[in-house]
Amino acid sequence: MFRTQQSRSGNDLRFSLLILPGLRRAGMVVRLLMCSVLLLALTALSGKLSEAQAAGSTAGKHRAASSGAKGRNRSVRKKAALPAKARTPARGRRRGRAAAAAAAAGATAATAAAVASPATSATAITTNTKPELLPRCGFTEASRRHIFSRGVYVLDEETNTPLFERNADTVAPIASVTKLMTAIVWLDQKSLPMANRLEVTEDDLDNLKFTHSRLNVGASLSRADMLHIALMSSENRAAAAMSRDYPGGRPAFIAAMNARAQALGMPHTHFENGTGLSPENVSTPRELAELVKAANRYQLIRNDSLDKQKIINIGRGQLQYINSNRLIRYGQVNATVQKTGFINESGHNMVLRLLVHDRRPVIVTMLGSGTADGSRLDGVRIAKWLNCSLN
């Protein structure tokens, strides 16, 4: 019997060693499965709670909107119960809102019209824009520093707009630019037979600067030729003979020149003689623009000042004259009137009435260049600015 019990105990021990670990593993698997099921249940429950909260929120909004609508309805009913005088401000506000809406609609329509017609707007802008010299055309600070003339005035005659000025109101000697006024006053005589001959006398000699002339005393020229070489070649004795050939003589002629300057609106301009050899013949670049305008009204002045060369019969032979302005002589600019001038006190001067693109008049006056080439180069530079910048 003792052996039988002992064998049973041994069997139970073996059973425990074999079965118990398996049961432990099964328990762990069961616990894992239960945890998974629990997690799934919690996830499903949280989803339902979220849906419920969302539904409650939407319902709240609907209720708020409904209550707001009911509130508005009650307000409308209360307003309807008010007397007519109490409702008047509300109508005024409605009319104000209607007027504002109409104004906004009008502004929108105006904007649409502006967008729909860009060509018309561009035309209006172009029309109201004043002409100007453009940096892309070389009109820069550095380029302006290379202008040699001390006094400059550039005027767009079409719009009366100054395009560039430097010391434009500084009074300075103008030298032979004077001859434009000499020609104007001389041509204003009522009876002036241009074919009649005019003789050079000793009264026409330069006793101020003692300049030389190819016209000797005794030379006889037609009045037309005297005017021609005075303007084209700046012949001083021709200009002196013209100022002497005037009713009342040379003093009356000088008085007429100064009176004409005042009539043209040139208060700072003054003349002492008809040649420009006197340093007391003075003006400003701005006022000389008025002189150029006046000279341009005379066909003879336009033709003679722009002629490149001419052979003159002086009675005892012939003389050939050329234009003293190299810009004109070599066709570097297109102009309708020009005149140059030089004395030591003034430096080299030049005035021009240019035709930009052969049609747009621009007046250029330049005083006080140190050299003749400086004055010529100023004219070329300014002409390039104008041709590029203006239409």
Side-chain angles (χ1 to χ4, degrees):
M1 181 180 291
F2 177 75
R3 287 178 182 171
T4 303
Q5 290 177 352
Q6 207 174 25
S7 64
R8 286 179 181 171
S9 298
N11 290 333
D12 291 339
L13 180 61
R14 283 193 298 271
F15 177 80
S16 299
L17 292 174
L18 293 174
I19 298 302
L20 287 177
L23 290 175
R24 289 194 188 96
R25 284 195 294 271
M28 292 176 64
V29 171
V30 170
R31 283 196 295 274
L32 289 173
L33 289 174
M34 290 178 66
C35 288
S36 299
V37 171
L38 182 59
L39 285 173
L40 289 173
L42 290 174
T43 303
L45 180 60
S46 64
K48 289 182 179 180
L49 287 174
S50 299
E51 290 177 0
Q53 288 176 354
S57 156
T58 306
K61 289 181 182 178
H62 287 310
R63 283 194 299 272
S66 176
S67 63
K70 290 178 182 178
R72 284 196 296 274
N73 290 336
R74 285 194 295 270
S75 298
V76 170
R77 284 196 296 272
K78 287 180 181 178
K79 288 179 182 178
L82 292 174
K85 290 183 180 179
R87 291 197 302 271
T88 300
R91 284 202 298 271
R93 287 193 295 272
R94 287 196 294 274
R95 287 173 186 165
R97 287 195 293 270
T108 304
T111 304
V115 172
S117 57
T120 305
S121 300
T123 302
I125 291 171
T126 302
T127 303
N128 295 329
T129 302
K130 286 188 175 182
E132 60 180 350
L133 299 179
L134 305 174
R136 65 177 175 81
C137 296
F139 185 69
T140 63
E141 182 62 33
S143 181
R144 292 194 291 273
R145 284 198 298 268
H146 286 88
I147 293 294
F148 296 98
S149 300
R150 290 191 295 268
V152 181
Y153 186 63
V154 181
L155 177 71
D156 177 49
E157 191 175 347
E158 189 174 283
T159 62
N160 201 37
T161 302
L163 301 176
F164 174 55
E165 48 187 288
R166 172 194 285 177
N167 301 322
D169 297 311
T170 300
V171 177
I174 62 174
S176 286
V177 175
T178 296
K179 292 182 176 73
L180 288 179
M181 183 64 84
T182 300
I184 290 172
V185 172
W186 195 61
L187 288 173
D188 281 345
Q189 297 179 70
K190 292 184 179 179
S191 59
L192 187 66
M194 297 299 289
N196 288 7
R197 302 188 78 79
L198 186 61
E199 186 175 323
V200 177
T201 70
E202 289 189 359
D203 288 340
D204 303 325
L205 301 181
D206 173 23
N207 295 317
L208 183 63
K209 298 287 186 179
F210 301 100
T211 54
H212 174 72
S213 173
R214 298 169 66 194
L215 288 180
N216 296 323
V217 173
S220 175
L221 288 74
S222 68
R223 283 192 173 96
D225 285 344
M226 285 283 193
L227 175 67
H228 202 124
I229 61 176
L231 291 171
M232 182 182 72
S233 303
S234 207
E235 174 56 68
N236 289 317
R237 287 185 187 174
M242 290 164 59
S243 66
R244 178 174 48 82
D245 180 41
Y246 191 80
R250 195 165 283 150
F253 187 81
I254 302 305
M257 292 176 70
N258 286 309
R260 188 59 184 271
Q262 296 301 310
L264 290 174
M266 304 169 66
H268 301 98
T269 301
H270 179 75
F271 299 101
E272 286 289 328
N273 62 28
T275 61
L277 291 170
S278 170
E280 300 302 319
N281 285 23
V282 296
S283 187
T284 70
R286 192 187 306 274
E287 290 185 5
L288 285 178
E290 299 304 319
L291 178 59
V292 173
K293 288 180 188 178
N296 187 67
R297 302 187 190 109
Y298 294 78
Q299 182 69 47
L300 279 175
I301 297 178
R302 293 199 301 270
N303 293 343
D304 292 348
S305 70
L306 296 177
D307 202 4
K308 295 181 179 180
Q309 63 178 352
K310 186 174 177 62
I311 297 176
I312 301 297
N313 185 347
I314 60 172
R316 291 174 294 180
Q318 293 181 332
L319 293 174
Q320 183 177 17
Y321 284 87
I322 62 174
N323 200 306
S324 60
N325 189 336
R326 284 187 292 170
L327 290 178
I328 302 300
R329 191 162 75 238
Y330 299 127
Q332 291 182 282
V333 295
N334 184 9
T336 64
V337 169
Q338 71 80 28
K339 190 69 193 78
T340 60
F342 169 78
I343 57 175
N344 290 331
E345 293 86 350
S346 71
H348 292 268
N349 306 328
M350 184 187 298
V351 298
L352 299 158
R353 184 179 182 268
L354 299 176
L355 285 181
V356 180
H357 305 302
D358 298 329
R359 55 180 175 74
R360 183 166 188 158
V362 177
I363 295 173
V364 179
T365 63
M366 301 175 290
L367 300 179
S369 171
T371 64
D373 273 338
S375 185
R376 179 182 62 84
L377 291 173
D378 287 350
V380 171
R381 188 185 300 272
I382 292 172
K384 287 182 178 178
W385 290 345
L386 293 169
N387 284 313
C388 175
S389 299
L390 302 183
N391 297 323

